[in-house]
Amino acid sequence: SSPAFRFGAGATSRGPGERVKWNFRGRGLRLWSPRGPAYGRVEAVLDGRPEGTIDLAAPAEEASRPVLVREGLPDGFHALVLRGVTGLLPIDSLDAMQ
């Protein structure tokens, strides 16, 4: 429970190297996440293809906001995987866009 998460609650990994996966249907996504001093870099993989690294570290805790947006995907089922590289991985929410 934390006001930094989009809906006031979320989860955090126990350490680097852990991962989370969302399966969704749509034509796009919007990934929400807070930033803060305990968080680090995460790798994003969409449908098996690397999407780059997202840095979630910040000197002070910041409220959740979109950190990865992808539009124009083929309509259908998709999978987004995040893997913590450094620091902890905050797990907030994902919007599937039509």
Side-chain angles (χ1 to χ4, degrees):
S1 174
S2 166
F5 286 97
R6 183 178 178 195
F7 298 109
T12 304
S13 69
R14 293 185 193 137
E18 294 187 16
R19 61 184 216 127
V20 62
K21 179 182 179 187
W22 283 273
N23 294 309
F24 66 97
R25 183 175 181 177
R27 295 178 185 206
L29 69 94
R30 187 175 297 115
L31 175 69
W32 291 74
S33 181
R35 287 184 152 91
Y39 306 138
R41 290 187 337 270
V42 300
E43 292 176 341
V45 177
L46 177 61
D47 296 334
R49 292 183 298 276
E51 289 290 312
T53 302
I54 305 166
D55 189 358
L56 300 176
E61 196 161 307
E62 297 176 10
S64 186
R65 65 179 186 220
V67 295
L68 178 67
V69 177
R70 293 293 180 264
E71 297 175 337
L73 300 175
D75 188 25
F77 293 98
H78 302 280
L80 176 67
V81 176
L82 300 181
R83 185 182 69 81
V85 177
T86 62
L88 301 179
L89 167 62
I91 304 160
D92 198 335
S93 59
L94 180 93
D95 293 334
M97 301 185 294
Q98 292 300 318

